[in-house]
Amino acid sequence: MVKIVYFTSGTTGSGRLVQGISIWNAFERSGQQVNYTIVSSSPFAYLADGFNVKHIEIPVESEDVLIAGDPEDSILFQTLKRLKPDVLLVDLMWFSLFNIIDRFPCKKIFLSRQVADKFFTISLKNDLLKFNPDQYDRIIATEPFASCTNMEQINPVVLRNRGEIMSKTAALKKLGLSGDKPVCLTAYNGKPEEYQSVQKTYSYLEDEGYRMVYSTNYESGIFPVVDYFSAFDLLITGGGYNSFWEAVYFEKEAIFIPFPRNFEDQKKRIDEYKGIPFKENGADQLADIIMEL
């Protein structure tokens, strides 16, 4: 059985963890038996339990441990050594693995969503760290964007395929709604203060006749909210990767609110990619790539 490890950070929001779950779902759909583990520092790792995904949480380690010191002393190294992956999926966190990835005789895939070119050069205390594409067997972009790093592109990775979510009748019933009014979902899992801002800004829609539903994972919100999409006539959400591409994939009417990030341009994603439809889930494409390595 192929042993696959998906590694990410996930310290802000739940998006990166959800991508790891989405990839697991693709293997479940395909019927291919794999030994799959998510390794992250996400405070939302418990969300994987609902999908029966194995996950290991490790602390965020500093450059003094991962770069300046002996990286084999790191918790990250020891965790991967114990897991002995056949395939290592690295979601964005190339710098954490820079000094140890070559010590694992497995196939390696780097996964990237839209990031600025500066993401691939990291200034350290006494050095400059540059992304080395030779450390990976495949470098894959999971959304369309131009980069200084050469990448092959697959479709965006989303949690569910179209036929996997509840019907409108079932979703309304589970939410305790009658369907007598159009339903608007305000869902946001970025930073807590951003969710509060979005909720306040669009609360007026209740006076316009909408039945409002609010959800954030910071307050034990609806998860996975995509399962209930058929119940919603309007989505209000951020411009982050998962929320944006789920809305596009399921062709939902949505208001996207961009928030500033260090390396990601959410406004660019909204402005340039909103009209780009796709049919095949990138998670399924990625599962095929992994099994063909």
Side-chain angles (χ1 to χ4, degrees), residues 54-69:
K54 290 187 293 183
H55 56 91
I56 297 172
E57 287 72 66
I58 61 175
V60 177
E61 297 178 278
S62 70
E63 67 179 76
D64 291 336
V65 174
L66 295 171
I67 305 298

Side-chain angles (χ1 to χ4, degrees), residues 32 41 87 104 112 126 160 165 180 183 187 189 268 280 288:
Q32 297 177 99
S41 304
V87 180
F104 294 97
S112 180
N126 301 308
R160 298 289 200 198
I165 67 173
D180 59 326
V183 183
N189 298 312
K268 179 181 176 70
E280 185 179 7
D288 288 341

Side-chain angles (χ1 to χ4, degrees), residues 7 82 110 169 178 184 269:
F7 168 65
R82 185 172 71 254
F110 179 73
T169 300
S178 65
C184 175
R269 177 181 289 125

Side-chain angles (χ1 to χ4, degrees), residues 88-105:
L88 177 60
L89 306 177
V90 180
D91 176 36
L92 293 175
M93 299 299 290
W94 64 269
F95 38 87
S96 296
L97 287 161
F98 189 82
N99 277 353
I100 61 175
I101 195 167
D102 293 334
R103 308 183 194 201
F104 294 97

Side-chain angles (χ1 to χ4, degrees), residues 252-264:
K252 301 300 294 183
E253 182 179 352
I255 297 172
F256 299 107
I257 302 99
F259 284 94
R261 293 291 183 264
N262 287 332
F263 299 105
E264 173 192 49

Side-chain angles (χ1 to χ4, degrees), residues 162-201:
R162 290 196 178 101
E164 296 177 331
I165 67 173
M166 286 183 278
S167 67
K168 183 172 184 175
T169 300
L172 286 170
K173 182 178 180 180
K174 199 157 186 180
L175 291 168
L177 300 174
S178 65
D180 59 326
K181 293 182 178 182
V183 183
C184 175
L185 169 70
T186 300
Y188 191 77
N189 298 312
K191 299 178 181 179
E193 65 273 14
E194 292 170 346
Y195 167 71
Q196 293 159 7
S197 172
V198 171
Q199 185 180 25
K200 182 178 179 181
T201 299

Side-chain angles (χ1 to χ4, degrees), residues 101-114:
I101 195 167
D102 293 334
R103 308 183 194 201
F104 294 97
C106 62
K107 298 292 185 181
K108 296 116 181 175
I109 297 178
F110 179 73
L111 302 173
S112 180
R113 61 195 67 184
Q114 179 229 91

